[in-house]
Amino acid sequence: MGTVIGVIIVLFVLGSMMALKPNGIDQRLDKLRMTARRLQLNPKLVTCPDWIKGRDNEYGRGMLGQYCLILEETKLPHTRYQVIDGQWRPDSSFVDTSDDAKTLHIPSAIRSTQSSSHVTVKKTDFSLDKAPLELPMSIEPFVKGLMTKANSIIIYWEDIAYVRPNSNPTYHQQRIEADLLLLKANLEKWAIQMQKDVKG
C-alpha cells in the first residue's frame, strides 16, 4: 500500500512540473526575443496600434511584436508606414501638427466653426514609399507596420507566427540570428534613407 501511495505522489509531482514547463512555441518565441534583445532590437509584445491591420485583418485588433532600434545621434521624422503588397506605403491618416520647417498650409477640410481657413500639417514622409521590404521570407509575410520618431525606428510584426510550425514550416533555430541581423540591417538602411531626406 505504501508503494502505491509513493507512486501516486511521484506521478502527481511530475505532472505538476510538466504543467509548469513552457510549451514548444513559447520556448521558440523566448529564444527569438532573447536573441533580438542581444542584438539591441528591444522586443516588446504590444497591443496592435489602431492604424495597423491586426488579427482578422481588422485595425487595432490583437497583439504584435514591437522591435525598436535606437540610433544614437540620428534625427528621424515622425512618420508611419503600412505594408501593402510587399511594399512600404505611408500611413495617409497620420497627421503631425508640430511646428516644423517641413509644414505646409492647406485649405481646411475640417467641418467646424474655426475662424482660420487653413490648417498646418506636417508633410507626409515619402522616403520609403513603394520601397520593397526585402526581408527574410520567414519574416516578411508577418510584418505589419513601421514607425519612426526622434532617434528610433520601430517595426511591428507577428513574431509569434515566425516560430509557429503551421505559419512558418521552414523555421530553424539556427536561422534566428541571421534573420534578425538582416532585419536590423534593413532598419538601419531605412533610417539612413529617411535621415538623408530630412537633411536634404
Side-chain angles (χ1 to χ4, degrees), residues 47-112:
T47 303
C48 181
D50 59 8
W51 55 276
I52 293 177
K53 287 185 179 179
R55 189 169 9 120
D56 300 328
N57 218 25
E58 291 184 27
Y59 285 99
R61 188 160 182 210
M63 304 292 282
L64 289 177
Q66 171 190 288
Y67 288 46
C68 172
L69 180 62
I70 298 170
L71 302 163
E72 300 297 334
E73 300 178 20
T74 300
K75 177 68 175 161
L76 296 170
H78 192 181
T79 190
R80 302 189 307 208
Y81 285 87
Q82 297 174 341
V83 179
I84 300 175
D85 297 328
Q87 299 177 325
W88 290 123
R89 300 307 310 268
D91 177 16
S92 58
S93 66
F94 180 57
V95 176
D96 185 347
T97 57
S98 62
D99 290 331
D100 191 290
K102 289 191 169 190
T103 58
L104 72 160
H105 294 278
I106 58 171
S108 175
I110 300 173
R111 296 188 192 117
S112 67

Side-chain angles (χ1 to χ4, degrees), residues 176-191:
I176 290 176
E177 185 164 349
D179 287 348
L180 289 177
L181 282 170
L182 190 50
L183 172 63
K184 183 177 180 179
N186 273 278
L187 290 173
E188 290 169 343
K189 179 182 78 173
W190 296 327

Side-chain angles (χ1 to χ4, degrees), residues 144-164:
K144 300 291 187 175
L146 183 79
M147 183 172 78
T148 59
K149 59 182 180 181
N151 64 346
S152 302
I153 183 164
I154 302 160
I155 194 163
Y156 295 93
W157 67 300
E158 294 175 305
D159 59 351
I160 194 164
Y162 176 89
V163 299
R164 280 190 178 137

